[in-house]
Amino acid sequence: MKTNSRYPADVLITAIAPAIWGSTYFVTTFFLPHGYPLTVAMLRALPAGLLLLLIVRKLPTGVWWGRAFILGALNVSFFWAMLFVSAYRLPGGVAATVGAVQPLIVIALSRLFLGKPIRFLAVIAGLIGMSGVALLVLTPNAALDPVGIAAGLAGAVSMAFGTVLSRHWQPPVSSLTFTSWQLTAGGILLVPVAFLLEPALPVPTPANILGIAYLGLIGAAFTYLLWFRGLSRIEPSAAASLGFLSPVVATLLGWLALGQSLTPTQLAGFAMVLISVWLSQRSLMPKAGVVTPTRPAASPQPAIRQA
């Protein structure tokens, strides 16, 4: 009986996604036009999704049409909309701390939808991670806006549901195809919202085009491909804990690129986040000599032709 030796590699590959997401604040601040969050979110999702659809040339069938739009709303359109509302109404530290509750929500939802046991060590790891994020990004004079906090919690719940349902609804297609469906659906849902709630986008500058291209190709298509690949291989709570890496990367970018200082409190928060991620993975890592149970083989699916 052998250990699932690919588990650590799958975790590391999945961790690339939230690490890259940590660069979103920097790119948004210095490369994108201000005041168009929904339009930018739509431009981030829809072109990337359509590009991936052109590559895979595979549309959803049957029940997967509805599931694609549900997951697209949870993981992309509603999540990003709530994230922007929270970011605009709250200081960045408060928004990040509120969003850090997501791993704990995923643990509860995994119990409800997937029948996964609630591990004490995973809960402790989630609480340590939240505390670490607070020390890393929260300032003493941070304002607490009720609407912003509600939006942040709604976004965390949305992404948590999307994370768990992405594992619960395992599609008979590749991760690339699954990613293309969700990004396209999420982008389509954002089109009327951006059109009705925001003014027309001004003529983009070269910096704007570069920023949108980065967020679409790298920050959406590439990272969501890694994220959904990870969700098909590791438990949702293990993947969700990796989200703590986003504020860590955002803080490090501020230090490296903007010359911002790191206080002893932030360094302590940095260490707590890393300990939290390690504890979370430790609580779920297959034990030596034990084979991780896998789902029963599904009935044979017809071959899917890829472009």
Side-chain angles (χ1 to χ4, degrees), residues 155-201:
V157 171
S158 178
M159 187 65 171
F161 266 103
T163 296
V164 173
L165 288 179
S166 294
R167 176 62 179 263
H168 182 59
W169 291 334
Q170 285 291 293
V173 294
S174 67
S175 297
L176 184 64
T177 302
F178 197 34
T179 303
S180 72
W181 291 354
Q182 294 193 50
L183 286 175
T184 302
I188 290 173
L189 291 174
L190 281 168
V191 170
V193 179
F195 179 79
L196 292 173
L197 298 182
E198 291 183 351
L201 194 70

Side-chain angles (χ1 to χ4, degrees), residues 2-74:
K2 296 186 295 184
T3 305
N4 181 5
S5 59
R6 287 192 56 82
Y7 184 86
D10 289 331
V11 171
L12 290 174
I13 293 172
T14 307
I16 295 173
I20 292 176
W21 292 338
S23 67
T24 300
Y25 176 78
F26 177 84
V27 173
T28 301
T29 301
F30 292 97
F31 289 87
L32 299 183
H34 296 282
Y36 304 88
L38 297 176
T39 302
V40 169
M42 181 269 293
L43 292 175
R44 179 183 181 183
L46 188 55
L50 292 175
L51 176 62
L52 294 183
L53 272 182
L54 286 175
I55 295 174
V56 301
R57 297 186 183 180
K58 178 68 179 178
L59 293 174
T61 57
V63 69
W64 285 104
W65 277 107
R67 290 179 177 180
F69 274 90
I70 291 173
L71 292 174
L74 292 172

Side-chain angles (χ1 to χ4, degrees), residues 67-143:
R67 290 179 177 180
F69 274 90
I70 291 173
L71 292 174
L74 292 172
N75 287 320
V76 180
S77 51
F78 185 78
F79 169 63
W80 285 354
M82 293 297 99
L83 186 67
F84 278 123
V85 171
S86 176
Y88 273 91
R89 298 186 68 101
L90 293 172
V94 178
T97 304
V98 172
V101 74
Q102 181 191 326
L104 295 176
I105 301 174
V106 168
I107 291 173
L109 293 178
S110 294
R111 174 62 180 171
L112 181 63
F113 287 97
L114 305 177
K116 301 291 185 182
I118 296 180
R119 295 176 172 86
F120 177 75
L121 186 58
V123 175
I124 294 299
L127 293 174
I128 292 174
M130 282 189 64
S131 302
V133 170
L135 291 177
L136 190 65
V137 299
L138 205 58
T139 60
N141 57 349

Side-chain angles (χ1 to χ4, degrees), residues 249-275:
V249 171
T251 302
L252 289 177
L253 280 177
W255 173 57
L256 292 171
L258 305 178
Q260 298 173 352
S261 60
L262 289 177
T263 66
T265 300
Q266 287 179 306
L267 292 175
F270 182 86
M272 290 177 67
V273 167
L274 296 182
I275 291 171

